[in-house]
Amino acid sequence: SATKFNPYEKVTNPSLAPRHLEDLPGFTRSVYERDHALITPESQVFNPLPGWVNTEGAYLITPAMGAHFVMYIAKMGENSSSGLPQNEVERFIFLVEGEVELSTFSRYRHHLLVDSYTYLPPNIDHKITAASSSTIIIFERRYLKERNEAPELIIGNTEEQPILETSGEVFALRKLLPTSPTYDFNIHVMDFQPGEYLNVKELHYFQHGLVLLEGRGIYRLGEKWYPVQAGDAIWMAPFVTQWYAALGQSKSRYLLYKDVNRDPL
Ligand code: UGY
Ligand code: MN
């Protein structure tokens, strides 16, 4: 053909789109700071999870950073199954791909599809199994008991949860767990249309683990502004300044761990 070979094509047609930058050797958007971290997919390292069968996991947030909880992503393969958390540890799982079965032996057997979730109180014998490849996001925390009621096993679906009023804010908020003081954390699902942003430039006691499930935008953490996109994970320590603006063509949705209902002292 008549097309001439241009050895300097990259100079005249630079490929600055994020998908090209991802392939750049040594380049990552990930950062780890004293009070926040951004962990993007090209940095996530998967290893067999202790006690699990045919499952590889990447721990994204752990107490080694200063968090009081763990957030990890587990890729379950064919005929895979979960291990148990330590004693006194509660577990929340959210399905992002595939289909799993939850069994608590004596009581339940339940199918979980994408967008469904389960909360497992501490010391509850259970098993999550997958027949084919499935991906889940898991949060765990040592339960802080403050009264005599015991938290209950919960199974739910995101779309079934009502959208809650958030005074002064525009995002659509769903809470996946009951707000009763028995629970020491909640998982929020927050939706922003492109152009929407947090009105409050938040700085608070609570800590967060976040997975951006859909969309793209700018996350402010402390004095830094990070371009983020679906698949990115964020850790926010107590009192880190935090703010999000959704950009792009489609809505942003994120899953957010937040500790609640406990006296800071
Ligand atoms: O509830 C929250 O603290 C939430 N709005 N924070 C956040 O989105 N970074
Ligand atoms: Mn917050």
Side-chain angles (χ1 to χ4, degrees):
S1 78
T3 329
K4 258 211 283 183
F5 172 63
N6 178 359
Y8 304 123
E9 228 243 287
K10 284 268 160 79
V11 178
T12 46
N13 291 307
S15 41
L16 293 175
R19 67 176 183 281
H20 295 295
L21 289 178
E22 266 171 32
D23 295 337
L24 201 57
F27 176 82
T28 177
R29 289 181 296 113
S30 293
V31 294
Y32 174 50
E33 301 275 338
R34 184 192 64 79
D35 57 7
H36 68 271
L38 169 67
I39 309 116
T40 59
E42 74 278 1
S43 297
Q44 297 172 5
V45 175
F46 286 82
N47 281 105
L49 285 173
W52 294 57
V53 175
N54 284 343
T55 303
E56 301 242 305
Y59 294 110
L60 302 172
I61 300 175
T62 80
M65 291 165 142
H68 67 211
F69 68 98
V70 171
M71 178 174 98
Y72 56 111
I73 181 161
K75 292 187 174 169
M76 302 187 72
E78 267 178 38
N79 301 320
S80 53
S81 59
S82 63
L84 285 171
Q86 293 172 32
N87 283 342
E88 309 308 326
V89 171
E90 51 191 339
R91 170 182 272 178
F92 181 97
I93 79 164
F94 183 93
L95 210 78
V96 290
E97 183 216 9
E99 185 178 342
V100 300
E101 185 158 277
L102 167 74
S103 55
T104 57
F105 306 108
S106 52
R107 293 195 287 159
Y108 290 93
R109 241 181 136 68
H110 214 285
H111 270 287
L112 300 179
L113 304 172
V114 171
D115 264 339
S116 51
Y117 58 88
T118 179
Y119 166 82
L120 297 146
N123 312 323
I124 197 169
D125 205 4
H126 67 274
K127 193 167 241 173
I128 302 148
T129 53
S132 57
S133 62
S134 301
T135 307
I136 57 184
I137 294 163
I138 304 166
F139 299 91
E140 286 167 3
R141 169 179 196 186
R142 210 164 288 281
Y143 179 60
L144 278 183
K145 194 174 169 68
E146 230 180 34
R147 51 192 76 226
N148 277 332
E149 310 121 51
E152 287 181 2
L153 185 141
I154 289 165
I155 293 167
N157 186 281
T158 308
E159 300 308 317
E160 285 164 9
Q161 305 312 311
I163 293 176
L164 305 171
E165 276 308 316
T166 51
S167 72
E169 294 288 4
V170 291
F171 58 82
L173 170 67
R174 291 178 172 89
K175 294 187 179 181
L176 303 187
L177 291 181
T179 53
S180 109
T182 313
Y183 298 87
D184 62 358
F185 72 88
N186 212 320
I187 302 293
H188 296 181
V189 173
M190 292 171 56
D191 291 340
F192 299 78
Q193 298 307 319
E196 291 182 347
Y197 53 87
L198 282 174
N199 193 38
V200 180
K201 284 62 75 172
E202 299 182 15
L203 195 156
H204 54 57
Y205 161 74
F206 312 102
Q207 35 190 289
H208 290 313
L210 181 156
V211 177
L212 190 57
L213 296 173
E214 285 179 71
R216 49 177 50 188
I218 303 283
Y219 226 102
R220 176 178 174 175
L221 298 164
E223 297 311 311
K224 302 202 169 142
W225 279 257
Y226 299 100
V228 293
Q229 62 186 350
D232 291 352
I234 293 173
W235 164 59
M236 292 176 244
F239 302 109
V240 66
T241 306
Q242 54 197 261
W243 176 86
Y244 182 61
L247 298 170
Q249 308 299 322
S250 58
K251 83 159 192 233
S252 283
R253 164 171 284 189
Y254 59 70
L255 191 66
L256 186 77
Y257 168 97
K258 182 176 187 173
D259 51 308
V260 292
N261 296 329
R262 293 296 179 269
D263 189 314
L265 279 178

